[in-house]
Amino acid sequence: VQLQASGGGLLQAGDSLRLACAVSGGASVRSTVGWFRQSPGKEREFVGSNSWVDGRTEYADSVKGRFTISRNNADNVVVDLQIYPLKSEDTAVYYCAARRPGYKTSTDISTYRYWGPGTLVTVSS
């Protein structure tokens, strides 16, 4: 399973942002895909995830109400992360990752086996 996140950049507080995670390879369509972020000097943290198994989406408490994950399993699997409104504390490198196919959502970062390179989001206040 391969993943590629895109859509980062320099934005202002209050803007909206859409990040996209393209998932391919193997049984990627059956994989739970999660979003994570890592701010300077901090550990990588769970943001949210979507499960193919039961369709469930869950979010970290800190981002509920501002972050939305959606999934498109059409031609290729794309899992979007939308953020509105952006805050300066959203500045981070954002990563998408996948669990092994067939597994449900999890907030435990150690259960995500496949990772893509991150995309940098910088939010100015």
Side-chain angles (χ1 to χ4, degrees):
V1 178
Q2 295 84 43
L3 302 100
Q4 180 67 56
S6 62
L10 176 62
L11 301 101
Q12 293 187 334
D15 285 350
S16 63
L17 174 68
R18 172 183 169 272
L19 302 177
C21 177
V23 188
S24 61
S28 56
V29 68
R30 298 191 288 113
S31 296
T32 282
V33 175
W35 281 96
F36 300 80
R37 67 182 180 183
Q38 187 166 17
S39 303
K42 296 185 178 181
E43 293 186 352
R44 194 171 299 185
E45 64 175 351
F46 171 81
V47 171
S49 63
N50 172 267
S51 168
W52 175 87
V53 174
D54 57 8
R56 182 168 171 256
T57 301
E58 64 177 326
Y59 301 93
D61 289 341
S62 61
V63 305
K64 284 180 180 177
R66 294 195 303 118
F67 285 41
T68 303
I69 292 175
S70 58
R71 183 185 189 115
N72 182 352
N73 285 340
D75 295 333
N76 298 291
V77 178
V78 178
V79 181
D80 290 346
L81 175 66
Q82 298 185 28
I83 308 173
Y84 177 77
L86 281 165
K87 299 181 178 181
S88 58
E89 53 260 43
D90 295 325
T91 295
V93 178
Y94 285 75
Y95 301 87
C96 58
R99 302 190 72 194
R100 291 175 62 184
Y103 282 75
K104 297 180 181 180
T105 65
S106 173
T107 62
D108 184 350
I109 190 172
S110 67
T111 66
Y112 288 79
R113 181 172 185 175
Y114 308 99
W115 290 82
T119 183
L120 175 63
V121 174
T122 304
V123 183
S124 62
S125 58

